[in-house]
Every structure is written in structure tokens, then in C-alpha cells.
Amino acid sequence: MGWRFGCHYRGVMTSLDQAAVDSVALLEAIGSQIDVDRLIVDPDIMASYAHDDAEWAPYAMPVAVVRPRTAEQVQAVVRACIAHGAPVVTRGAGTGLSGGANAVSGGVVIAFDAMNAIKEINTLERLAVVEPGVVNDHLREACAEQGLWYPPDPASAPWSTIGGNVATNAGGLCCVKYGVTKDYVLGMQVVTGTGELVRLGRRTAKGVAGFDLSALMVGSEGTLGVITEVTVKLRPQRDPERTIVGYFDSIVAAGKAVEAVAAEGLTPSALELIDRQCLLAVDAWKNMGLSADAEVVLLGRIDTPGEIGDAEAERMLACFNRSGATWSARSTDQEEADALFSARRLAYPALERLGPVLTEDICVPKAAVPEMLARIEQISARHDTHIANIAHAGDGNLHPLLITPHDDEAARARAQAAFAEIIDNALELGGTVTGEHGVGLLKMGGLAQELSPAVVAMHHAIKGALDPYGIMNPGKVI
């Protein structure tokens, strides 16, 4: 079997801690370019910007946190960091689950919470131009007012930002039909690793001039440059969705239903899996009264218009039943259907209330979903680790949630071993170590296992060319 949890990044963080940065000179250089209210050096305040939501991913206190208001201010900070050899880590809302936004010793965190303007929504060209700190749901709401829709919808959409979504190539609930963030990024403004402020991509519907450097930036997790503006394409508002619910007595049976839906040739607008443990945790927190008399619930949605959509909903219902659903129905109560999907979004923060949660993000071929879910159950038992399950099941993106009691080091060690074994099994089944959360720190060993040495070398070559000073989120991804 391959890598083990943490074996790569421990050394990375140690080497970064030894980086020699003249913090006084660095702060003076930044302070000469940035208004004093944009520069944070108070340790108590910086602590809230020092890490994302990834459990147990290492981080250090930065020299400073900068909250710029303009791209030119970002450029000034990057140039100061180049001059003083200081690492640059960019941060959106801090909802990441891989440690990609974690601060490193001697570095500067650029936080984009103050760059949150929706600059343009163009109804003719069907595009929007936004600053990186715009919250995903805020953009979606603004687009809806114009009869338009921005499809990428990670479960963290009420809190996560477009900049962070672009950095990790975030997915979400409707991506089984409509794709992930990269499918909607037309272009961007970027401060490069050499301190230049450039525009990449386009505003036109088509364009193949030169290498697609904008696409290269999507999913690069801040390792190739700092994104200061994003142009995204939009779709017209879609027709109302039909919701199909199925209860199953095992996670494997639910997995077989997912496989059946794919084999039927259906493309749902959502197909989500949530187990009873997650629903109970949401009920305990929000008292929504949604705990089902089932071990696993599948939530499907169809948004194909008219009679064809009605027929597809019935076909999905039949797939659930053929796969052993103990109860299934097409919901006629929109409020109830929306509540079920709200519970899906709330599952992760609800489980966090029970103890530290280590979140997986594997993606396997749809045909392998039942087998992977069965293996997760076996891994849970083998390592005596509590694993709850949520998933964007329709596209094979599984999120096993490994929960440990507070201050239980033995349980933590078992969870780390289970985490590594889940990755090993996903790769064995033809999957990938991350579907949407990014590599960050937690998946570096898994990425090295997934990619061939020649492909890893290509990554290093690109990194070296675009970040010649090695300051852009160093020690992450590769």
C-alpha cells in the first residue's frame, strides 16, 4: 500500500519554519504600500486567519495578514514578499478542508474578505465579473435577480468564496449534470509569481489563442499566482426540480441505486447520499425533525422540463426500488424537499459538534461506488473509527467523515490510518485522491502516489516557471 497520513508534509513544514525572513523589514516594505488598517499584526487576530477547516493539518503563525481592497495592493504585497523571500498564502473564507490556506512561518496571508464586489453581471453575454472574496451564494442570488444562474454549488456555498472555489476547482451538489468550477471560469486577473498584474482568459464564448493559462490557474491552490478577479459564465435560470427520495437499509444498497441510475442513462441535476448518522447530527443541532427510519437516504433531483422530466423522475424512482429501497417517493412538498437538501449541506458542521472531523474527498468511477462504500465500512470496522458518509454520489465523489473524540490521541492515530487506507482503495479502484477539496497538505502523499514520476516532474516544471522565487503557497500540493 502507498503513503501514510502526514508522512510528506511534516518535513515540509519543518523546512519552512527554518526560512530566514527579516520580518521587520518585510513589514516596513508592506506598510509603505498598504493603509495601516489593511495590515494585521495582532497575534490574536492573525490566529483566526492562520488555518482553514482541515483537521490536524499543520500551520504556523504568519508575519502578517493583509486585507487588500485592490489588485494593485495585492501586487504591492507580492512584490514586497519577493524582495524579502517571504511566502505568500492566499485565503478566502477559510472553509477549505485540505490545509491549502494554512499559513507558514515567515509568510504573509493575503485575505480577500474585503475584496467582495460583484463588478458586473452581463445578461447579454451571460457572464459575471467578481472579486475573489464574493461569497458563492451571494453571486447566485445576484444572478437570479437577472434571470441567470451560476451553477457550481459546493455544500459550503453559503459561506465559501469564489476565489477559494476557483483555487480548489470546487464542485458541489449539481455538478453531476452541470460540471465544476473550471467549467464556468472564462478568465481572471492574476498577480504572478514575478509580481506582474496580468489578465488571462477571455470574455468571449469561444477562444483558443495561446495556452489556456486561465484553466491552469483553476485548481492550482494559490501555488502559481494570486487571483484578484474572476470572470465566470452564467446559464439561464432553470426549470423547477423534481425531488426523489429513497431510504435504504445499507450504504451498499444505496450505492447500487446510484449505479442503477447511471446505467439507466439518467443525468440527474443532483444525486446525494447522506447516512443516518449525519441526519441525526443535523437534528441534534438544528432540530429539523429529519431523521429517517433508514440507514442511508438518497436525494435525487431532475430538472429536465415538461413531460420528459416527469418520466425521468419516475425512472429514477424505479431505479431506487429495483436496488432495494425500503421506501421511496417523489416529493410533492417543496419545503420538505428543500429541508432535506439543507440537511445535506449542514451535515459537516453538525458532525463537527461531535468531535474533530477528518474529511475525505475521494472520487471513483460510478460503477465502483458500491464497492468503495463497502470498503469504507470495512475500513471503519478494521480501524475502530467512527465514519459517517455523505456524497455527491451521482458523480462518484464520496466524502467519508472520520470522527474522533476530543483529546483522544489513540483514536486520532486510528483515524489517520483509516484515512490513508481509504485513499489507497480509491486509487486501486481507478479513482482519485480528491474530487473537489484540493490537495493542500493532507493529500500530498496521495497525489504523489496517483501521478507518475514524469507527471510530477511536469508539475514541478510549471511551478518553477511561474513561481521562480518559490514564494507562492510553498510546501503545498507538490
Side-chain angles (χ1 to χ4, degrees):
M1 304 298 265
W3 70 292
R4 282 296 170 261
F5 187 99
C7 65
H8 285 255
Y9 67 66
R10 287 197 187 105
V12 168
M13 297 305 287
T14 300
S15 65
L16 289 178
D17 287 342
Q18 295 170 350
V21 176
D22 186 338
S23 59
V24 173
L26 174 62
L27 289 174
E28 287 179 350
I30 295 174
S32 68
Q33 301 292 324
I34 301 293
D35 294 338
V36 65
D37 64 333
R38 300 290 93 201
L39 181 61
I40 299 171
V41 295
D42 183 319
D44 292 334
I45 299 176
M46 287 198 298
S48 66
Y49 289 91
H51 61 86
D52 63 16
D53 276 347
E55 197 63 49
W56 304 326
Y59 64 92
M61 285 296 289
V63 171
V65 173
V66 181
R67 300 176 61 241
R69 291 192 184 277
T70 68
E72 290 72 22
Q73 289 178 349
V74 175
Q75 182 183 28
V77 172
V78 170
R79 287 182 169 179
C81 290
I82 290 172
H84 292 83
V88 174
V89 176
T90 55
R91 174 190 169 91
T95 60
L97 293 167
S98 67
N102 285 12
V104 298
S105 180
V108 172
V109 172
I110 300 178
F112 282 108
D113 46 356
M115 288 182 65
N116 57 8
I118 299 174
K119 292 184 171 182
E120 178 186 359
I121 296 178
N122 189 314
T123 57
L124 178 62
E125 303 296 343
R126 293 181 183 169
L127 61 80
V129 181
V130 303
E131 291 182 330
V134 171
V135 171
N136 184 297
D137 267 5
H138 294 174
L139 173 60
R140 300 177 110 221
E141 291 162 5
C143 291
E145 293 175 1
Q146 304 294 324
L148 297 171
W149 178 46
Y150 176 65
D153 64 337
S156 60
W159 316 284
S160 64
T161 61
I162 298 299
N165 293 169
V166 172
T168 59
N169 192 19
L173 276 65
C174 72
C175 294
V176 60
K177 182 172 184 177
Y178 292 102
V180 294
T181 300
K182 73 177 177 63
D183 298 308
Y184 294 88
V185 175
L186 291 169
M188 60 185 65
Q189 184 185 59
V190 176
V191 177
T192 71
T194 58
E196 301 298 323
L197 183 60
V198 300
R199 288 196 175 275
L200 306 175
R202 55 191 165 78
R203 286 173 60 101
T204 53
K206 296 170 66 177
V208 292
F211 298 140
D212 194 349
L213 298 179
S214 178
L216 181 62
M217 289 290 169
V218 180
S220 64
E221 301 185 52
T223 62
L224 302 179
V226 181
I227 297 169
T228 57
E229 182 186 279
V230 185
T231 301
V232 297
K233 65 180 178 181
L234 307 174
R235 297 177 64 101
Q237 279 283 17
R238 56 183 174 162
D239 289 306
E241 296 175 289
R242 304 156 188 81
T243 299
I244 301 91
V245 183
Y247 293 175
F248 297 85
D249 59 10
S250 76
I251 198 165
V252 175
K256 289 186 180 299
V258 173
E259 184 182 10
V261 169
E264 182 71 14
L266 294 170
T267 305
S269 53
L271 183 53
E272 296 291 302
L273 180 151
I274 179 169
D275 72 8
R276 183 171 172 78
Q277 298 175 71
C278 296
L279 286 175
L280 287 170
V282 171
D283 275 351
W285 180 27
K286 295 294 187 179
N287 195 30
M288 297 174 72
L290 297 174
S291 297
D293 187 18
E295 289 303 310
V296 185
V297 176
L298 278 183
L299 304 175
R301 276 186 162 166
I302 295 289
D303 67 356
T304 308
E307 293 181 358
I308 295 176
D310 292 335
E312 288 182 354
E314 292 303 317
R315 289 165 62 197
M316 179 181 285
L317 191 63
C319 288
F320 286 8
N321 291 331
R322 287 199 306 270
S323 302
T326 58
W327 177 85
S328 65
R330 175 177 164 184
S331 177
T332 57
D333 186 331
Q334 189 62 41
E335 185 175 335
E336 177 185 68
D338 290 342
L340 285 167
F341 275 86
S342 294
R344 164 62 183 88
R345 293 185 184 276
L346 291 169
Y348 175 77
L351 288 166
E352 278 190 309
R353 294 164 56 85
L354 305 180
V357 178
L358 187 58
T359 306
E360 271 285 15
D361 173 41
I362 55 168
C363 192
V364 297
K366 286 177 282 190
V369 167
E371 174 64 20
M372 189 66 228
L373 290 171
R375 292 190 186 192
I376 290 168
E377 282 194 324
Q378 295 161 8
I379 290 167
S380 173
R382 187 157 51 246
H383 293 280
D384 188 22
T385 296
H386 183 192
I387 301 181
N389 286 278
I390 54 177
H392 306 308
D395 52 19
N397 192 184
L398 311 182
H399 295 313
L401 305 170
L402 294 79
I403 307 157
T404 60
H406 290 286
D407 302 319
D408 188 332
E409 288 301 315
R412 170 174 166 167
R414 293 195 303 272
Q416 290 172 336
F419 183 93
E421 192 170 336
I422 289 171
I423 287 176
D424 289 339
N425 279 267
L427 293 176
E428 184 180 319
L429 292 173
T432 180
V433 300
T434 175
E436 59 185 5
H437 293 169
V439 174
L441 288 166
L442 295 186
K443 297 294 184 76
M444 289 178 67
L447 182 67
Q449 185 180 344
E450 179 176 335
L451 304 181
S452 71
V455 174
V456 171
M458 292 171 67
H459 280 71
H460 281 290
I462 292 168
K463 170 74 168 169
L466 298 185
D467 179 26
Y469 302 104
I471 66 165
M472 291 292 170
N473 210 9
K476 314 282 180 62
V477 184
I478 56 171

